[in-house]
Amino acid sequence: ASLEPEREMRSLGRRHRALAALLVLAVALGRADAELVAHSPTTSFPNRYARNICSLAASTAEEMSECQVQSLYGTQDGRVNMTFGEESCSVTLKNCVPGVCYSFRDATAAAPRDDVPRPTGGPSASFFVSVQATAGASVFSHTNAGFSFKASAAEVTLTYQTRTCADHFSYRGRTGEQECRQSFAAITEIDAGTPW
């Protein structure tokens, strides 16, 4: 009868060691996962904080190459496709005419949004966190409606950063399906002679 409690104690000790080992393994796996996806928290909206490659390049098309962009994701009906979360991007436009004004519209600025008031200082309606002409332009302007610049050289360099999906939809609120992973028509092609 004296062996029964001793066996129970050994069995209990083995169970505790097994549970402790499982706990250590779970913590280790959690740390590894956290290191792999530290920038992308697990939510019901996957990829809302994702970073994407820069989509814009100078156009090489023969008929449309004057101070024009093309996208890795394509252009359809005069709309240039881009993605959320493009960071530290630059594109050098070729064959610009010094003294001519160029512009593109932000195609997302007119997208619908709900009526919930937003705090001041939050994301604006612009798809871009920032966009500026860093070389080859005498003046430039970025508003929610788009971007314009006056070329001062044949090559104009633009630098830009687009909003994350989370920022974009935090401004718009309930706008139907919030697709974060795909490219979409973000800006118009660059137009000459129409500063707005």
Side-chain angles (χ1 to χ4, degrees), residues 87-99:
E87 285 188 337
S88 304
C89 299
S90 68
V91 56
T92 299
L93 308 173
K94 312 284 187 185
N95 303 320
C96 302
V97 178

Side-chain angles (χ1 to χ4, degrees), residues 79-80 84 104-114 123-128 142-147 163 168-169 171-172 175 184-188 196:
R79 306 279 180 169
V80 180
F84 294 114
F104 61 80
R105 294 234 176 234
D106 185 332
T108 69
R113 59 173 289 202
D114 61 27
S124 68
S126 177
F127 176 63
F128 294 93
H142 172 217
T143 69
N144 287 344
F147 182 76
R163 296 207 178 276
H168 180 78
F169 286 112
Y171 177 79
R172 281 166 180 76
T175 58
F184 61 96
I187 62 172
T188 63
W196 39 269

